[in-house]
């Protein structure tokens, strides 16, 4: 019997840019049930969700590959609706496809929040050493610094989106590599295994990729 994994993206489903890396770890023994907080919305409606001053900004991907930036407060209710649907569909675990910070959501089924797993893992590994954080947008750099500092991790930040030109994120990796850091975290579920491999060619720092880290945690939960 296949394990059923529910996935909620803050953008639009399906996230065919994410699932290949996950399925390499999970194998054929899983069934994926995908939902998107922006599913069914027109581009005009999505643009109305753009972050305003003081909003927690999130970057995500639409079904056609377009990058969009939204304010977190606009999608929390829609995320809860998708979680409710997945509970009704009887999935074994629910994965939020974002490393952003989210409040508790109501669910009978376990919800895996990548940020919480990622932060605790990195804090345990790095100890008192500084960590390089690659985040998609310039406007997210201070946001990222604050959230990592809150869990006791001193960071250097750089930016480069996984949804635009390759040079952007590679420049960010190179900038971090020149800092006094112990490792690099590609802090977005949009960064791919291939992107990590390309980043490894320009840095001698260890790199943590959230999507594969989380996939291995879920694999531990569901394997027997």
């Amino acid at each position: 019997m296949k394990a059923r994994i529910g996935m909620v993206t803050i953008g639009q489903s399906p996230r065919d840019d994410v699932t290949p890396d996950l399925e390499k770890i999970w194998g054929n023994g899983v069934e994926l049930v995908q939902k998107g907080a922006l599913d069914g919305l027109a581009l005009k409606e999505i643009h109305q969700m753009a972050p305003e001053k003081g909003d927690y900004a999130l970057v995500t991907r639409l079904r056609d590959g377009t990058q969009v930036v939204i304010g977190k407060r606009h999608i929390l209710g829609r995320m809860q609706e998708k979680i409710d649907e997945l509970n009704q569909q009887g999935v074994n675990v629910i994965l939020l496809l974002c490393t952003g910070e989210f409040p508790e959501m109501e669910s009978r089924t376990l919800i895996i929040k990548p940020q919480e797993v990622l932060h605790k893992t990195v804090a345990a590994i790095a100890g008192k050493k500084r960590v390089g954080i690659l985040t998609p947008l310039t406007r997210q750099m201070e946001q990222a610094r604050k959230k990592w500092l809150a869990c006791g991790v001193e960071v250097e930040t750089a930016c480069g989106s996984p949804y635009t030109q390759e040079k952007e994120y590679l420049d960010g990796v190179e900038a971090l590599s020149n800092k006094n850091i112990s490792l690099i975290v590609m802090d977005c579920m949009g960064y791919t295994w291939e992107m990590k491999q390309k980043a490894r060619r320009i840095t001698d720092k260890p790199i943590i990729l959230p999507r594969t880290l989380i996939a291995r945690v879920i694999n531990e939960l569901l394997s027997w």
Side-chain angles (χ1 to χ4, degrees):
M1 181 177 178
K2 289 187 176 183
R4 305 187 76 224
I5 300 176
M7 300 195 303
V8 179
T9 174
I10 60 173
Q12 291 180 333
S13 65
R15 287 298 301 268
D16 295 335
D17 59 314
V18 176
T19 52
D21 286 339
L22 306 183
E23 290 174 327
K24 286 177 183 176
I25 294 171
W26 293 334
N28 297 322
V30 299
E31 176 187 349
L32 303 183
V33 185
Q34 299 190 54
K35 308 280 185 180
L38 302 182
D39 285 354
L41 296 181
L43 190 58
K44 181 179 179 180
E45 295 174 287
I46 295 169
H47 285 163
Q48 291 172 349
M49 296 180 174
E52 299 175 3
K53 185 177 181 180
D55 279 347
Y56 189 102
L58 297 169
V59 61
T60 189
R61 180 183 184 272
L62 301 184
R63 190 172 293 113
D64 64 2
T66 302
Q67 172 180 289
V68 293
V69 183
I70 54 178
K72 181 175 71 173
R73 61 188 173 90
H74 295 298
I75 62 165
L76 293 178
R78 296 182 64 86
M79 289 179 67
Q80 183 64 64
E81 289 175 6
K82 302 307 177 183
I83 289 170
D84 292 344
E85 291 173 10
L86 289 171
N87 272 272
Q88 293 169 7
Q89 291 177 253
V91 298
N92 299 106
V93 68
I94 296 172
L95 168 61
L96 301 187
L97 282 179
C98 181
T99 60
E101 185 176 10
F102 294 97
E104 288 298 315
M105 301 280 189
E106 293 185 11
S107 176
R108 296 188 308 274
T109 304
L110 284 175
I111 297 179
I112 307 299
K113 297 180 182 178
Q115 188 209 49
E116 296 182 6
V117 177
L118 182 63
H119 281 202
K120 288 178 172 61
T121 301
V122 172
I125 294 171
K128 299 299 182 182
K129 296 182 175 64
R130 297 177 75 82
V131 173
I133 302 297
L134 183 67
T135 193
L137 304 176
T138 301
R139 68 187 301 165
Q140 292 178 308
M141 290 169 63
E142 181 60 16
Q143 185 174 285
R145 189 191 69 80
K146 288 180 178 178
K147 73 176 184 179
W148 281 95
L149 187 59
C151 69
V153 179
E154 292 283 347
V155 300
E156 296 280 355
T157 59
C159 66
S161 175
Y163 305 125
T164 53
Q165 296 297 316
E166 180 179 283
K167 185 177 185 300
E168 285 193 19
Y169 77 83
L170 291 178
D171 284 350
V173 170
E174 187 170 12
L176 289 173
S177 189
N178 293 326
K179 302 288 186 179
N180 181 25
I181 58 171
S182 58
L183 60 93
I184 294 172
V185 178
M186 301 179 81
D187 194 1
C188 176
M189 292 294 279
Y191 296 115
T192 68
W193 176 255
E194 182 180 4
M195 291 176 186
K196 176 179 176 177
Q197 300 315 300
K198 290 180 178 179
R200 289 289 292 121
R201 297 171 195 161
I202 61 174
T203 182
D204 61 352
K205 308 294 184 183
I207 299 175
I208 291 180
L209 184 68
R211 62 168 60 177
T212 47
L213 171 66
I214 301 304
R216 290 185 172 98
V217 170
I218 292 176
N219 196 54
E220 177 66 20
L221 285 172
L222 299 181
S223 60
W224 54 79

